[in-house]
Amino acid sequence: MAHCRRRIAEVGHTAVKIDLSGKTALVTGSSQGIGLAIAEGLAASGARLVLTGRSEDRLAEAAGRVRAAGPDADTVTVAADITTDEGTARLLAAAPEVDILVNNLGVFAARPALEISDEEWRSYFETNVLTAVRLTRHYLPGMTDRGWGRVQYIASDSAVVIPVEMIHYGMTKTALLAVSRGFAKAAAGTGVTVNSVIAGPTHTGGVEDFVRQLVPGDLPWDEAQRTFMREHRPTSLIQRLIEPAEIAHMVVYLSSPQASATTGGAVRVDGGYVDAILP
Ligand SMILES: NC(=O)c1ccc[n+]([C@@H]2O[C@H](COP(=O)([O-])OP(=O)(O)OC[C@H]3O[C@@H](n4cnc5c(N)ncnc54)[C@H](OP(=O)(O)O)[C@@H]3O)[C@@H](O)[C@H]2O)c1
């Protein structure tokens, strides 16, 4: 009991003000969408950012937004296809060590279940799972040696509610939950935490196009969004799309020193869409 009280006293009670200054964060797939919002959020808390994407132009624009979010934030951009050996080598040369790794890169597209070829199954696994595993394998040892680090995987509601129109995508997101739990065990007792974030339907450019395809007529955006949620995502408890910044807030918290006791978990930012008590 005395031991327990001592430990609580060491952790202490302070206001939750997240300060990531001095930390370097790599966010994969960060030239737009959720990855860019995460990079902006981490920069606003003082982290130095490494951004990746394949288009130089989009990355340059993203770096400008990240610097606007965190005026002191230093940014490095790596334009490379990080699913390839060559692209990975360029990324690792530009960022040999990081303190925070956010595996955000992920691709998705609808495909009839029985028409997904072997090649497509492999390619989804390579892009959405193996790329994250490879980067974890590279960065985790440095984090454990230094006694501090944060690794996260951006999973999806599709990890839990497998969509019939993209079971190959759902498979990769379920795999990330397993990968995250496993690497958390590998980092046990080191000061490094490893978690996945289950993101729900989020207001990105791709999803906005998808909503426009499914909701007929030229409705104002708010109305189109409400119709989409009511008809296609009825279990959502917020009945609107999630804004990318709302996913970023959770990632910033999980990246913080304050989140030191959250590891090996899958944390939901899904607007209550997954109708379950546990993930
Ligand atoms: N949007 C949602 O509603 C939603 C919901 C749940 C989970 N998620 C997950 O959240 C993550 C981000 O989704 P998002 O919708 O924000 O994605 P997005 O808008 O499609 O952005 C993907 C990012 O990844 C980059 N990228 C794609 N392929 C790449 C490659 N081979 N090498 C390097 N960079 C690459 C893209 O830039 P370039 O094209 O220039 O390479 C872009 O920056 C994904 O893991 C997704 O599964 C999304």
Side-chain angles (χ1 to χ4, degrees):
M1 199 57 193
H3 169 76
C4 202
R5 267 198 301 273
R6 202 165 47 246
R7 180 169 294 173
I8 291 167
E10 278 162 13
V11 172
H13 295 281
T14 52
V16 179
K17 286 186 188 150
I18 293 174
D19 179 7
L20 299 176
S21 50
K23 308 287 188 206
T24 298
L26 163 60
V27 184
T28 63
S30 40
S31 58
Q32 63 179 40
I34 294 171
L36 174 54
I38 292 170
E40 291 177 289
L42 292 168
S45 290
R48 170 178 183 265
L49 259 300
V50 182
L51 309 175
T52 84
R54 289 161 303 181
S55 152
E56 299 242 14
D57 290 349
R58 265 203 296 273
L59 269 176
E61 204 180 309
R65 280 183 52 176
V66 170
R67 280 193 294 272
D72 300 328
D74 184 16
T75 56
V76 172
T77 58
V78 182
D81 180 347
I82 58 167
T83 65
T84 66
D85 289 344
E86 192 268 330
T88 306
R90 279 176 41 215
L91 171 60
L92 299 185
E97 297 286 357
V98 300
D99 306 294
I100 298 163
L101 167 62
V102 183
N103 292 292
N104 166 75
L105 168 60
V107 292
F108 47 98
R111 196 88 170 90
L114 298 179
E115 291 174 21
I116 306 168
S117 66
D118 286 5
E119 186 40 43
E120 284 168 308
W121 280 104
R122 278 194 203 99
S123 144
Y124 266 72
F125 181 77
E126 290 265 346
T127 303
N128 290 5
V129 183
L130 204 49
T131 304
V133 167
R134 201 179 290 122
L135 294 179
T136 307
R137 215 163 48 209
H138 177 84
Y139 290 115
L140 191 57
M143 293 181 192
T144 55
D145 285 352
R146 293 189 296 278
W148 198 92
R150 299 285 184 260
V151 179
Q152 293 170 59
Y153 303 87
I154 306 303
S156 160
D157 54 77
S158 301
V160 188
V161 184
I162 306 294
V164 68
E165 75 281 6
M166 37 184 193
I167 60 175
H168 52 343
Y169 173 67
M171 171 278 291
T172 64
K173 294 296 172 178
T174 313
L176 286 181
L177 303 187
V179 162
S180 162
R181 178 74 193 165
F183 280 123
K185 287 182 178 178
T190 63
V192 178
T193 67
V194 184
N195 291 289
S196 46
V197 173
I198 297 182
T202 304
H203 184 191
T204 56
V207 170
E208 190 164 328
D209 294 345
F210 182 62
V211 169
R212 290 290 183 197
Q213 278 165 26
L214 289 184
V215 178
D218 202 10
L219 297 176
W221 168 247
D222 277 353
E223 211 177 314
Q225 179 180 193
R226 269 199 302 278
T227 306
F228 169 77
M229 296 305 292
R230 195 174 53 244
E231 291 178 4
H232 299 279
R233 299 289 183 272
T235 58
S236 163
L237 301 180
I238 59 173
Q239 281 298 298
R240 61 168 173 81
L241 292 170
I242 298 154
E243 290 302 319
E246 295 178 296
I247 311 284
H249 292 152
M250 178 61 78
V251 174
V252 171
Y253 169 68
L254 290 174
S255 302
S256 71
Q258 286 93 336
S260 46
T262 302
T263 190
V267 181
R268 283 163 53 181
V269 189
D270 68 343
Y273 172 66
V274 176
D275 190 2
I277 295 166
L278 295 173

